[in-house]
């Protein structure tokens, strides 16, 4: 196999993984809170946002869907939803959550590409899987909530995921050690997203 | 295997299954009728609503999608769409359909959990599969129709599915016979949904 | 196997296939252009529109998703998005694109049914796979863009795909040679779509 030690992702990243799912799940539950929905919809939005991107990735690359046979991810989403439901919204620091979401975005973009490479997906496809893992949960959340999705806003979001995923795949192609490539790529993606949050950095829109 | 006789679901439930698909398909076709759409969209909505939940469940648990290699479900959806198309809308008793939909909801929540358990999915995931089987067809229908989905209304709907699925999984965990657990769980879910229909029972919304 | 020479689809159609993906990808990128979105969303819409229908088909019939292990389709989508991004919108001839889209629609309906038959899917399911392959990319594009989808407009579109897919499956059932059936079915679907474009032909809506 081309990337044997990619499999160490499985032993290395589970804690980070759970943290990322929890952050995305909280963002989903807060979307439900903004609309003053019920506890059941809190669960649903937390689950879809927390696991949606990875679910689509696993379906596309033909891997078993990650949360079906190991229900820890599911439990984390339920707990996140319950935590948001039981607390007033103002205790959830919007700014801190946005930065955590940016960290999750960058980490998931790398993780998704890594898993795809480990399954033998070629580079371009693996980078696409990273972007999908990082962004699709939030997009599905917005479509279900009837809100304009991240996709339709000029803010740098998908771009930061694309930078992290593309850089990770590119560096491994050039022979960089996996862990080093992962850290550099995730930091680059997080930095770009951070600049977008702090400075309102946006991509230019198409002009006719 | 932990649940050998779960497989009898395959011989026991096909008729109920077809009835459930037909009810959901009619509800999809009626959504197309409300918007005065064409016969082709009637087919599409009937198909998506009738089979959507089970399709997503099968993709997630890695089972062959149930209507691809046995086209009876597909045929039932096409017939349901045609029946709605050929008749004036007022002959379809909204109230009766809502109750039938509630019965289908409860039955499908149990059936989906059952199939997931039979595939070796652990309890929490199996309960989630039940909820998805019961509710996702209707949610996809609403998103495609551009309507606010069940998810965004406070009415008890997903909750009834969650009660049926959770009770079924819980009872089987406690060692109850499968068929008994299925009947009790489906009745409980249907009763809860019935109270919601009759009394307008709703979950409380989140308050800041 | 029932349809041994169906596999020649793989050697016969790749060029046509790439052309079809490119046309759909351009239509996706133009949707992003109309909304003055960013280059990243251009990529996303081109990818979803170009590959969405085939992706859902492959997931449903249990085939490996076609663009994951052969990234040419992905590359074509990225190039199409870039081409639209770099050029003023008026150089893209709307009328010509609509006709090209019609050709892609008819060709994909046949191709999707063909692939499903080759995977052993029974006739009714195979015809449905053809319609899904041809139409679903555009539907997902519209849902993500928050626009009313093809489904909700009376214009003949899904119908043309259904004609091509149904005719192809029907003719092969009657023993017609595959290539002949494919050409006849695609031409019939394209003609119907062409009449709809030229004359504004639409299906009647449901009347109560």
């Amino acid at each position: 196999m081309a990337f044997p030690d990619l499999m160490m992702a499985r032993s290395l990243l589970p804690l980070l993984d759970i943290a990322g799912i929890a952050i995305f799940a909280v963002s989903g539950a807060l979307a439900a809170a903004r609309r003053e929905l019920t506890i059941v919809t809190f669960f649903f939005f937390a689950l879809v946002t927390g696991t949606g991107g990875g679910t689509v990735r696993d379906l596309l690359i033909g891997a078993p869907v990650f949360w079906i046979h190991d229900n820890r991810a599911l439990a984390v989403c339920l707990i996140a939803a319950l935590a948001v439901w039981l607390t007033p919204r103002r205790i959830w620091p919007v700014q801190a959550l946005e930065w955590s979401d940016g960290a999750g975005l960058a980490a998931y973009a790398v993780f998704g590409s890594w898993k795809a490479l480990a399954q033998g997906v070629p580079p371009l496809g693996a980078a696409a899987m990273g972007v999908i893992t990082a962004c699709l949960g939030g997009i599905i959340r917005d479509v279900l909530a009837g809100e304009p999705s991240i996709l339709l806003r000029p803010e740098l979001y998908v771009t930061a995921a694309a930078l992290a995923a593309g850089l990770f795949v590119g560096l491994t192609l050039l022979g960089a050690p996996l862990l080093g490539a992962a850290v550099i790529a995730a930091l680059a993606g997080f930095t770009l997203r951070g600049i977008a949050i702090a400075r309102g950095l946006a991509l230019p829109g198409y002009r006719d």
Side-chain angles (χ1 to χ4, degrees), chain A residues 4-17 72 111 114 179:
Chain A
D5 59 337
L6 282 167
M7 295 324 266
M8 79 172 171
R10 198 171 294 166
S11 55
L12 193 76
L13 299 176
L15 270 182
L16 195 62
D17 192 24
R72 276 176 301 176
F111 181 74
W114 196 332
L179 197 58

Side-chain angles (χ1 to χ4, degrees), chain A residues 109-110 113 123-124 126-128 130-131 159-173 185:
Chain A
V110 170
S113 302
L124 192 55
V131 177
T159 313
L163 174 65
L167 198 56
F168 174 71
V169 172
L171 288 171
T172 56
L173 275 185

Side-chain angles (χ1 to χ4, degrees), chain A residues 48-152:
Chain A
V48 164
T49 315
T51 66
T55 300
V56 173
R57 174 202 62 217
D58 287 346
L59 290 175
L60 290 176
I61 66 178
V65 174
F66 72 98
W67 53 274
I68 297 290
H69 288 94
D70 169 3
N71 288 168
R72 276 176 301 176
L74 204 49
V76 164
C77 290
L78 298 183
I79 292 168
L82 202 61
V84 175
W85 172 258
L86 292 175
T87 51
R89 213 171 82 203
R90 65 179 178 283
I91 75 156
W92 296 91
V94 174
Q95 195 72 1
L97 280 170
E98 208 165 8
W99 285 88
S100 308
D101 180 82
L105 182 78
Y108 267 85
V110 170
F111 181 74
S113 302
W114 196 332
K115 186 166 181 183
L117 285 175
Q119 287 262 333
V121 176
L124 192 55
M129 290 305 108
V131 177
I132 283 173
T133 307
C135 302
L136 215 65
I139 292 170
I140 299 173
R141 174 198 64 211
D142 293 341
V143 167
L144 289 178
E147 283 176 13
S149 81
I150 293 160
L151 278 179
L152 304 181

